[in-house]
Amino acid sequence: MQTESADRCHQVVIIGGGSAGITVAASLLRRRPELDVAIVEPSSQHYYQPAFTLVGGGTYALDNTRRAIRDVVPKGATLIQAAVTALAPDDNAVQLDDGQRLGYSQLVMVPGIKLDWGRVDGLAATLGKNGVCSNYSPGTVRYTWQCLDAFSGGNAIFTQPPPLKCAGAPQKIAYLAADHVKRKGLGDKSTLKFYSGGGALFSVPAFVPPLERVARRHGVEVILSHDLVAVDGERKVATFEMQNAEGEKTRVEQDFDLLHVTPHQCAPDFIAQSPLAGAGGWVEVDKATTQHVRYPNVFSLGDASSLPTSKTLAAVRKQAPVTVKNLLANIDGKALTAQYDGYTSCPLVTDYGRVMIAEFIYDGVVTPTLPLDPFKETRFYWWVKKHFLPAFYWKQMLTGREWDIAHKPRKTS
Ligand SMILES: Cc1cc2nc3c(=O)[nH]c(=O)nc-3n(C[C@H](O)[C@H](O)[C@H](O)COP(=O)(O)OP(=O)(O)OC[C@H]3O[C@@H](n4cnc5c(N)ncnc54)[C@H](O)[C@@H]3O)c2cc1C
């Protein structure tokens, strides 16, 4: 099955050593230690990104979100430190940026999402100065806290484009900022605005009213259908584009003292330009089995996949065992029986000390793990977000241990 023109071949090649890549590799090797698994990953670091929100809020150390990639690659897997530049699924091969061509029998596509900082005019030049910050990258997240800590009143603006990973993250930092501003006694001197390019505050309608109440409580004005298109850091002006029902576009300018930007996000170019891509450029997989719809020896999960659910690490945790079982069945020539139901979850930080956890499956059906009110902000869930989940990630999920409590649909009214 492997291509003859490849420089080297592995039985299973995993593209990306992020949350999905390491979890799948560890789980595969736990079940079948003799497998020949290679992980292609250009970065020397691995990050637990969900804690970036807390780093930006000044309540978590960036160092605690990262490990050396070599320390998280499971024993028995081969790490190839390179980036994939092109895909040749008809030859069962991928092209690496070091010039090598890598062959495979089974391919797992998990290179994450592309952060498109260049989509907003002027953003790249001013990010990290002039009060323009972002929790979305390890290189910029500490500046968010510097900006918040130094904020002495004025306009604090938060943006959200569609689509994005962790659709709650742009709101979380807005609520932390509002709480911080209030604690510093700057409430009367400050205006907080949340601009979303989408038409709703959250994708699952059941969570919209409780989140609107949180925004109102914090005095955060929510402005929908406004997409950030330009930033002038020197003048401290952000420009938003809005489109009316007739498709006419108008632009509005907004002064800021602090601007937290969530970058536009899209499928990585090398996927979008490949035969693996479907609509939107994502790896086109079956929504239940995670197997590619045209190439049966290709699987995908996580942010780069077409799985029609909210892109989160919590989703990866439930997708990974499904991919692993089905990939092994595929190697064995058996039917693929494991099914993913669209589970995803977003711990919505609503102030310093409280969290509401939005858990749902396909079609927006609310499915909490614990028998607690899913729309209530609690201190218990703050503890889960800040302490339990990071430890669980490093010790359980990344090591391929699939400890789980089944989520269940519950009445929401
Ligand atoms: C600010 C923020 C807050 C978040 N909050 C939460 C939360 O509270 N809860 C939650 O569940 N999720 C949250 N997430 C989302 C979560 O982190 C992602 O959904 C998750 O990491 C996706 O895993 P992945 O493996 O698909 O992608 P990633 O973990 O991003 O990994 C992708 C890997 O692929 C590598 N790669 C990229 N290009 C190539 C290439 N060409 N060749 C080879 N490798 C490549 C990258 O270097 C990276 O290591 C948050 C994310 C952010 C940024």
Side-chain angles (χ1 to χ4, degrees):
M1 206 156 167
Q2 291 165 350
T3 172
E4 285 174 17
S5 60
D7 297 308
R8 57 197 279 202
C9 293
H10 291 272
Q11 194 176 7
V12 181
V13 167
I14 299 176
I15 308 301
S19 301
I22 299 296
T23 303
V24 165
S27 173
L28 280 171
L29 287 163
R30 226 170 231 285
R31 285 163 198 266
R32 220 169 268 192
E34 71 280 9
L35 273 183
D36 167 22
V37 176
I39 302 169
V40 183
E41 169 58 58
S43 173
S44 60
Q45 305 289 317
H46 177 102
Y47 288 94
Y48 176 68
Q49 299 169 43
F52 287 177
T53 296
L54 303 178
V55 176
T59 182
Y60 204 88
L62 181 63
D63 281 350
N64 291 340
T65 69
R66 69 178 155 218
R67 301 272 192 281
I69 186 74
R70 290 192 177 280
D71 293 342
V72 295
V73 167
K75 201 163 159 265
T78 304
L79 174 64
I80 300 171
Q81 291 247 249
V84 171
T85 53
L87 301 163
D90 291 310
D91 295 336
N92 295 313
V94 301
Q95 186 62 47
L96 306 185
D97 63 352
D98 63 6
Q100 285 195 83
R101 200 170 154 88
L102 188 63
Y104 59 81
S105 294
Q106 308 286 323
L107 181 69
V108 182
M109 288 295 300
V110 280
I113 203 163
K114 174 180 166 182
L115 301 179
D116 195 358
W117 300 102
R119 266 279 290 280
V120 173
D121 281 349
L123 174 59
T126 195
L127 185 65
K129 53 187 186 198
N130 300 317
V132 182
C133 55
S134 180
N135 282 355
Y136 267 74
S137 105
T140 59
V141 63
R142 276 197 281 213
Y143 186 60
T144 302
W145 173 241
Q146 282 176 33
C147 291
L148 262 182
D149 199 29
F151 187 68
S152 56
N155 289 335
I157 308 299
F158 304 84
T159 75
Q160 169 169 332
L164 71 164
K165 59 178 161 182
C166 195
Q171 277 180 69
K172 300 179 206 178
I173 190 62
Y175 302 145
L176 283 181
D179 193 14
H180 177 74
V181 162
K182 200 161 46 195
R183 283 164 196 252
K184 277 178 81 177
L186 296 169
D188 294 343
K189 291 163 68 181
S190 310
T191 305
L192 291 100
K193 293 185 184 175
F194 180 79
Y195 282 92
S196 171
L201 189 52
F202 200 71
S203 62
V204 176
F207 286 98
V208 172
L211 286 171
E212 283 174 343
R213 281 195 289 277
V214 172
R216 265 199 306 277
R217 181 179 86 224
H218 280 308
V220 175
E221 184 185 351
V222 176
I223 301 160
L224 302 175
S225 305
H226 279 63
D227 195 26
L228 181 70
V229 289
V231 181
D232 184 332
E234 298 285 318
R235 283 174 56 230
K236 296 210 163 192
V237 171
T239 305
F240 294 87
E241 191 167 81
M242 58 170 296
Q243 201 169 347
N244 65 16
E246 287 74 47
E248 287 163 0
K249 289 180 178 168
T250 46
R251 289 191 169 201
V252 288
E253 289 195 343
Q254 167 71 61
D255 296 348
F256 66 82
D257 297 284
L258 183 160
L259 176 66
H260 179 273
V261 178
T262 298
H264 288 78
Q265 298 168 40
C266 58
D269 298 338
F270 75 96
I271 297 176
Q273 292 153 9
S274 82
L276 293 185
W282 311 107
V283 183
E284 193 175 7
V285 292
D286 179 86
K287 70 183 235 187
T289 64
T290 78
Q291 183 184 43
H292 198 272
V293 296
R294 291 181 295 281
Y295 296 92
N297 64 335
V298 177
F299 291 79
S300 182
L301 62 156
D303 294 353
S305 75
S306 67
L307 294 169
T309 193
S310 182
K311 295 180 185 298
T312 66
L313 189 145
V316 168
R317 183 168 72 80
K318 298 279 185 166
Q319 293 160 1
V322 172
T323 300
V324 166
K325 286 177 199 156
N326 286 338
L327 188 150
L328 293 175
N330 198 44
I331 291 177
D332 297 340
K334 293 188 177 150
L336 276 48
T337 53
Q339 305 251 309
Y340 171 61
D341 63 4
Y343 176 89
T344 188
S345 150
C346 185
L348 292 149
V349 178
T350 56
D351 52 37
Y352 286 91
R354 283 195 298 172
V355 164
M356 177 195 310
I357 296 196
E359 295 175 274
F360 47 96
I361 56 172
Y362 287 141
D363 301 322
V365 178
V366 178
T367 52
T369 300
L370 301 177
L372 299 175
D373 182 345
F375 307 116
K376 203 166 164 214
E377 308 154 56
T378 68
R379 295 198 171 277
F380 169 67
Y381 278 145
W382 169 268
W383 173 83
V384 168
K385 162 87 185 156
K386 187 170 175 180
H387 301 288
F388 174 77
L389 289 175
F392 180 83
Y393 179 72
W394 298 114
K395 292 191 182 131
Q396 298 283 323
M397 179 170 158
L398 272 200
T399 57
R401 293 181 177 91
E402 289 161 5
W403 183 83
D404 193 25
I405 301 177
H407 50 277
K408 292 194 188 90
R410 285 178 213 275
K411 278 214 164 105
T412 55
S413 57

